[in-house]
Amino acid sequence: MIHIAALQALVTAASLDFEPTVAELDAIEREMPVILADVELLDAQIMTLDRTPTELDERRIRRARNRVMAARRDLTNRAATAPMGGAA
């Protein structure tokens, strides 16, 4: 009988030893306003899961959606105007 688990442990152990690259960390930093806006929208939506949304809840969700759209727009505009390939 061949034990597959021992071979699988070698494969998965190697894949967990990598750290994010500087480029990946920079990408996360650029996207952080979008991430935070998404979290705020999720928080507003989660608050209304177990009850009927009030007018204040609807307003909070609408404002959070607007912040998400604005953050995504800003990220897209920055990406469109940024020089590619390190050109000076």
Side-chain angles (χ1 to χ4, degrees), residues 64-82:
R65 281 187 184 137
N66 289 339
R67 280 191 277 278
V68 168
M69 289 189 296
R72 289 180 181 170
R73 179 198 63 218
D74 294 342
L75 179 65
T76 303
N77 288 341
R78 278 195 309 262
T81 60

Side-chain angles (χ1 to χ4, degrees), residues 20-62:
T21 64
V22 174
E24 291 170 335
L25 291 174
D26 288 341
I28 292 170
E29 186 67 30
R30 280 190 308 273
E31 294 175 8
M32 190 55 67
V34 175
I35 294 168
L36 294 175
D38 282 333
V39 168
E40 187 177 339
L41 175 59
L42 284 172
D43 286 343
Q45 291 171 335
I46 287 170
M47 288 192 306
T48 62
L49 284 178
D50 60 346
R51 59 186 167 92
T52 304
T54 64
E55 184 179 335
L56 181 62
D57 293 330
E58 291 173 1
R59 196 177 317 156
R60 183 179 293 125
I61 291 171
R62 186 175 58 247

